[in-house]
Amino acid sequence: LLAACRIHGDLERGVYAAEQILKLDPDNSGSYVTLANIYGAAGKWDGVLKMRKMMKDRCVKKQPGCSLIEVNGA
């Protein structure tokens, strides 16, 4: 639901969905990041900063992405 809100730009439902998810799993960085992206897409930069601060205050860290490439079959 949260990802669908991001895709469709539904800020109100996105905030509600994120609040519910964070009650159940406050250590899941994906919810914070997705909600920050929803705020950013809506131009609500204060919301982005709020989410980042909340992550920092709760010591929640996003795991860095990882990509692999194959070179010459190896």
Side-chain angles (χ1 to χ4, degrees), residues 18-68:
E19 287 173 350
Q20 300 309 307
I21 293 168
L22 294 174
K23 284 179 189 176
L24 297 172
D25 189 7
D27 298 328
N28 182 350
S29 64
S31 300
Y32 295 95
V33 172
T34 303
L35 184 55
N37 289 340
I38 293 171
Y39 278 126
K44 305 279 186 179
W45 302 110
D46 56 329
V48 174
L49 295 174
K50 176 182 151 187
M51 295 312 299
R52 289 183 182 171
K53 182 177 181 337
M54 192 181 298
M55 284 180 73
K56 186 176 179 180
D57 292 347
R58 295 179 180 181
C59 299
V60 176
K61 302 247 185 213
K62 178 186 172 296
Q63 289 198 340
C66 179
S67 299
L68 300 175

Side-chain angles (χ1 to χ4, degrees), residues 1-23:
L1 181 61
L2 186 56
C5 291
R6 182 181 59 83
I7 291 168
H8 296 287
D10 191 342
L11 179 63
E12 184 178 337
R13 283 192 184 109
V15 169
Y16 177 77
E19 287 173 350
Q20 300 309 307
I21 293 168
L22 294 174
K23 284 179 189 176

